[in-house]
Amino acid sequence: MENKNLRAELLAPAGDEECLLSALDYGADAVYLAGKTFGMRAGAKNFNTEELFRAVRTAHERGVKVYITCNTVPTNEEADRFPEFIRAVDESGADAVIAADIGMISMIKENAPRLAIHASTQTGVVNYRTALELYKMGVSRVVLAREVDLENIRTIRKNIPEDMDIEAFVHGAMCVSFSGRCLISEYLTGRNANRGECAQPCRWGYYLMEEKRPNEFYKVFEDEKGTFILNARDMCMIEHLDDLLEAGVTSLKIEGRAKSAYYTALTTNAYRAALDCCLRGEKPPAWVLEEVNKISHRPYCTGFFYGHPNEGSGSQNPGEITNGGQYFTDSGYIRDYDFVATVDKCENGIMYLTQRNYFTLSDELEILAPNRGPIGFAPEKMFNADMEEIDVARHAMSKLTIPTDIEVPPHSLMRKKL
């Protein structure tokens, strides 16, 4: 049955210019990014003022909206500097800003009244009463807390104005704390999670030490399966977008501003295809569901959307998407493929590449192009920049050429199976 949610939007992360281009090439309707200050991902490269203006211009030329994150908890000194920053954001032509602090929301209205305001997930919106108060303050969209289930999303949708959007995360890392409001990193390392500097201590393995037995360490068991007691699975809702749209979600958000352009391209491509199928009332093809397993990730789950994450099977199978939110065995990533090259162009039977990681002609290779499934690729020859025939590509950022009859657009990606 065709889905009638005509406002459905795919929102992709852009931690730097390369990620932005990947999001644009692979089908995002909108992107979210940050300046050098006030954003919740200090580890991403982010955008200086000149780059931010260029990013907005480039996205708008492709018909893609740009949302600027201003969702840190500011100090007094930063709050004093914010009006200058938000006026620059307004001048750039950005479509909206994502904010959590009510003082910053007030300053946005005062200094950039044209800008739409989205209430960040850091605001912790879990009920319609909060959404209504934010609407009165000029907020046009709420990015719901990850803890909200589908039934409560339906309730929120029924009780807020029709012109107020609901945004929800559909893919990426989960935080052990309520809406990311965590002090563990600050306490243990001095890196404040609420200012985009989280050291992710929830992923660490912990031991007990009894005070009268120094240097004798005892494992902390959540249960017989392991000791990573705070370690959350990653979210993956690619098979359930119809449920989200039916509940009233209007923007489907992919987490990952600190992640690579390959991650942005792959997840955007897969969710674009899945969303398009959903809007036509179709199930996504098998390759779409397989793609999310070809990016480095922790074991997947469906978050809180179908109730408490520890209800249901809670399977420990790393390749299975479950309703179980914890993964006790380790904090590592599942990584079966490696991004090895970018396609610069295909011309006259030659594929021109920029190498990113080591690969050989004997590797099992695939090409990922926008708006289609992966293409198996088995080249017979490869040449370096000096046109010397080689079997092994060893040096990152080297220029390579491969004779081929495959035609793919620039910015397509090549990967190898590990």
Side-chain angles (χ1 to χ4, degrees):
M1 182 176 177
E2 187 176 357
N3 194 296
K4 300 298 184 183
N5 192 339
L6 301 179
R7 285 196 289 171
E9 168 190 87
L10 180 61
L11 177 57
D16 59 22
E17 189 169 15
E18 186 181 18
C19 293
L20 170 68
L21 293 175
S22 289
L24 301 182
D25 288 334
Y26 284 83
D29 296 308
V31 295
Y32 62 106
L33 54 89
K36 293 293 186 180
T37 53
F38 304 109
M40 275 292 293
R41 287 295 182 270
K45 290 182 181 178
N46 297 318
F47 295 76
N48 63 30
T49 302
E50 180 183 346
E51 292 166 341
L52 193 151
F53 273 66
R54 184 167 63 244
V56 173
R57 184 168 61 249
T58 301
H60 284 178
E61 287 170 354
R62 305 277 288 272
V64 174
K65 294 181 178 181
V66 180
Y67 309 145
I68 309 299
T69 62
C70 305
N71 54 346
T72 57
V73 178
T75 63
N76 286 315
E77 185 270 334
E78 287 170 333
D80 289 341
R81 289 192 285 109
F82 184 68
E84 180 181 1
F85 173 80
I86 202 61
R87 285 193 291 268
V89 169
D90 189 25
E91 187 180 347
S92 76
D95 298 278
V97 286
I98 306 170
D101 183 83
I102 59 172
M104 295 180 84
I105 291 174
S106 174
M107 286 187 282
I108 294 165
K109 289 177 61 181
E110 181 180 342
N111 292 277
R114 177 197 67 83
L115 281 170
I117 303 172
H118 299 172
S120 167
T121 189
Q122 298 294 120
T123 312
V125 177
V126 298
N127 62 72
Y128 71 85
R129 296 282 185 177
T130 304
L132 286 173
E133 288 305 310
L134 289 167
Y135 185 79
K136 293 175 185 177
M137 295 173 62
V139 171
S140 61
R141 175 182 295 188
V142 285
V143 187
L144 295 181
R146 286 174 174 83
E147 296 77 19
V148 184
D149 61 26
L150 286 170
E151 191 53 44
N152 277 296
I153 293 175
R154 293 186 187 96
T155 300
I156 292 169
R157 178 69 273 167
K158 289 175 183 176
N159 288 279
I160 62 175
E162 187 176 339
D163 62 344
M164 189 177 209
D165 285 341
I166 292 178
E167 183 178 306
F169 282 92
V170 296
H171 192 94
M174 297 281 286
C175 182
V176 71
S177 293
F178 169 59
S179 297
R181 297 178 180 181
C182 181
L183 294 176
I184 302 174
S185 179
E186 170 82 2
Y187 184 79
L188 293 180
T189 71
R191 292 169 55 180
N192 191 329
N194 298 299
R195 297 173 58 76
E197 300 170 349
C198 184
Q200 297 196 340
C202 54
R203 311 295 184 186
W204 301 350
Y206 288 91
Y207 290 80
L208 283 175
M209 185 184 74
E210 201 275 326
E211 64 177 341
K212 295 182 180 178
R213 294 176 175 84
N215 299 317
E216 291 185 25
F217 299 101
Y218 304 90
K219 284 188 175 182
V220 182
F221 286 98
E222 176 81 2
D223 62 12
E224 72 280 0
K225 295 170 183 172
T227 63
F228 288 79
I229 58 174
L230 302 175
N231 188 39
R233 290 171 175 258
D234 282 357
M235 179 193 292
C236 180
M237 287 292 288
I238 198 161
E239 297 183 69
H240 307 286
L241 301 186
D242 53 346
D243 288 346
L244 290 165
L245 296 183
E246 182 276 329
V249 174
T250 42
S251 181
L252 307 171
K253 187 172 194 171
I254 299 169
E255 184 272 341
R257 277 192 296 122
K259 296 180 180 176
S260 68
Y262 172 63
Y263 168 93
T264 301
L266 189 151
T267 52
T268 304
N269 195 52
Y271 276 87
R272 175 77 274 158
L275 178 56
D276 289 346
C277 286
C278 179
L279 292 173
R280 294 193 299 266
E282 303 170 359
K283 293 292 185 183
W287 73 262
V288 172
L289 307 182
E290 292 165 2
E291 278 297 286
V292 292
N293 288 313
K294 293 182 178 180
I295 187 70
S296 178
H297 65 281
R298 295 184 179 92
Y300 286 132
C301 73
T302 55
F304 289 82
F305 287 115
Y306 297 99
H308 191 281
N310 290 327
E311 296 171 354
S313 67
S315 168
Q316 293 298 297
N317 179 357
E320 180 182 349
I321 301 176
T322 81
N323 197 39
Q326 296 288 112
Y327 189 67
F328 310 131
T329 305
D330 58 52
S331 62
Y333 285 84
I334 301 166
R335 185 165 167 262
D336 297 325
Y337 285 80
D338 196 13
F339 167 43
V340 296
T342 313
V343 178
D344 299 324
K345 63 179 179 178
C346 287
E347 192 173 86
N348 300 321
I350 301 293
M351 184 179 292
Y352 295 83
L353 302 168
T354 299
Q355 183 191 342
R356 293 303 181 90
N357 287 296
Y358 175 95
F359 72 98
T360 74
L361 285 182
S362 60
D363 285 324
E364 185 177 332
L365 301 172
E366 288 183 344
I367 298 290
L368 181 67
N371 303 313
R372 61 187 295 182
I375 306 164
F377 188 51
E380 296 179 0
K381 294 182 179 181
M382 177 167 59
F383 300 89
N384 63 20
D386 298 320
M387 291 308 297
E388 298 168 333
E389 187 170 348
I390 57 174
D391 296 324
V392 179
R394 301 181 185 278
H395 306 295
M397 303 313 293
S398 296
K399 296 295 183 180
L400 307 170
T401 54
I402 294 177
T404 180
D405 57 0
I406 293 177
E407 289 286 339
V408 292
H411 307 145
S412 296
L413 307 176
M414 189 166 76
R415 64 188 173 207
K416 70 176 181 182
K417 185 173 176 57
L418 297 176

